[in-house]
Each structure stands twice: as C-alpha cells, then as structure tokens.
Amino acid sequence: MTLKFVVMSDLHVMPQGKLSMTLDTGARLEQAVDAVIARYSGVDFCVLAGDLADLGEPAAYERLQAIIARLPIPVHITLGNHDDRPSFLEVFGTGSIAETGKVDKVIDSKGHRIILLDSSEPGRVDGVLTPTQVDWLKARLAEAMDRPVIVILHHNANALHIESDDIRIIDADPFVATLKTHPYIRQVIAGHVHLTSTATWRGLPFTTLAGGHYSCTVDQPHIPMRRLTGPGQMAFVISDDDGTTVLFDDFIDGNAEIF
Ligand SMILES: [Fe+2]
C-alpha cells in the first residue's frame, strides 16, 4: 500500500487584516489549501508542523481553523515556537493534548506509523523534547517495530551548519538515541528554518521544508541571511514498502527580497 500525505509548516497566520513581515499569511495558506484541493485531494491526510499562528492569538487560530476547514482530508496538527498552546487549545479543543501534556500524536495509516512531536516550549525559540515525550516516543516506536516510521516535529534536531543552528532542538541526544531503537525510521521532517534541506545526521535521515511564510536564504557568518517572499512550500510525502520520498511543492513562487 502506498501512503501519501502533505506536510505544511510555518504558516504564521495572523488575524484577518494583519500582515506578518509584509505578507498576508492567511491568504498564503488559502493558496496552499487551493493547491492541495487541485493536486492532492486524494492523499491520505495533511500534517501541520507548527508555527501555525505568528503571534499566537485566538483570532489567528480561528482564522486558521476556518481556512483548513476547506481541506477535504484529515488534518493532524502539532505546534511550533510561535504558537501559544493555551490559545490553540481554546480554539481547537483540549482533545489534542497527549498524555505527555503536549500536542503529540500517533497516526497509523497504510502500514506506516507517523509520530507528531510538539517541540514547542513556552518562552523559548529553540525546541524542547521533554523526558516524558522521549519516553512516550520510545513506547510508540516499540509498538511499531514491524513497520516504517516517519517522525514530524517543528524544530530541526540536526545541524544545518547555518546561524540558526542555535535555535534547533536543544540536547538532541536522547531523541536521537530513542529514534535509533527503531530499525525503520524513514524520515524526520521539520520546518522552523524556513529553508529546504535534506541531510543524514548521526545515521538518520532529516528533512526540512521551507513552509508557507517567507523563506530564508542560507545564512553563514560570511553570508548574511535574507528573507524572500517565496517560495511558499509544502512537502508531498509518498511512502511504500520500498522507501519514502519527499517532494517539495512550491505553491507560491517568488524571489523578491523583504526589506
Ligand atoms: Fe516559523
């Protein structure tokens, strides 16, 4: 069986009429939803990998909820550093809280296990996976030793060798060691950096997608980072017995720089 799903990240939705970094992020999400309906309405589900709302107000989550209601497929959600967990739960309900106390989730579909991890931590820009979450992850992996697993979370754990490496998952060692208890980790997919990347790191496959908000150019000490209006990007994941492919769909083009 072939599993197909889309991942959106870094939506940074603002309340109606407000912009983020000059961009109407709600309108951009509408374009993403239009793209899914036009091209991917037959996929199994959609994952939102955090930074759903730019400033975390309930009005932003209400706008998000109204926009994604147009998606003809299930939507599975976790949070990022821009999100406000109480505001999110106020709008989306408390049912999405796992026994970890965070917005973690397991999806079993077509011979795969997909695990969403909430790496947001109030007051922090970098990512935190608590010991409770790591234990929970280990248990969820142990239940699925016979099938491939794809992990999705907001923050990248791996080094991208860019300036923003200092806001990735802090102390990723327990996370990586836990992932290595499973023989078939197919992908670890994140957003956060507003940049497309693929990597192997400590023997595991890691991917980031640019997401729906502005995109960042590669920043290094001698190459200052620039923010571009596009692409608005989602990932299209196709997975079967043979392997897992991540395609990147730029539903918004655009290389204009934001000043
Ligand atoms: Fe973001």
Side-chain angles (χ1 to χ4, degrees), residues 181-212:
T181 64
H182 194 281
Y184 311 120
I185 300 294
R186 288 282 188 82
Q187 267 295 342
V188 182
I189 300 173
H192 189 48
V193 286
H194 296 214
L195 182 70
T196 315
S197 73
T198 67
T200 52
W201 188 66
R202 302 187 186 176
L204 292 165
F206 292 87
T207 293
T208 62
L209 63 147

Side-chain angles (χ1 to χ4, degrees), residues 3 5-7 40 150-152 186-190 196-199 205-210 233-239 243-249:
L3 171 70
F5 62 94
V6 293
V7 183
Y40 304 115
I150 299 168
V151 175
I152 304 171
R186 288 282 188 82
Q187 267 295 342
V188 182
I189 300 173
T196 315
S197 73
T198 67
F206 292 87
T207 293
T208 62
L209 63 147
Q233 183 182 82
M234 70 177 88
F236 174 36
V237 182
I238 307 145
S239 193
T244 299
T245 297
V246 182
L247 300 172
F248 300 98
D249 187 334

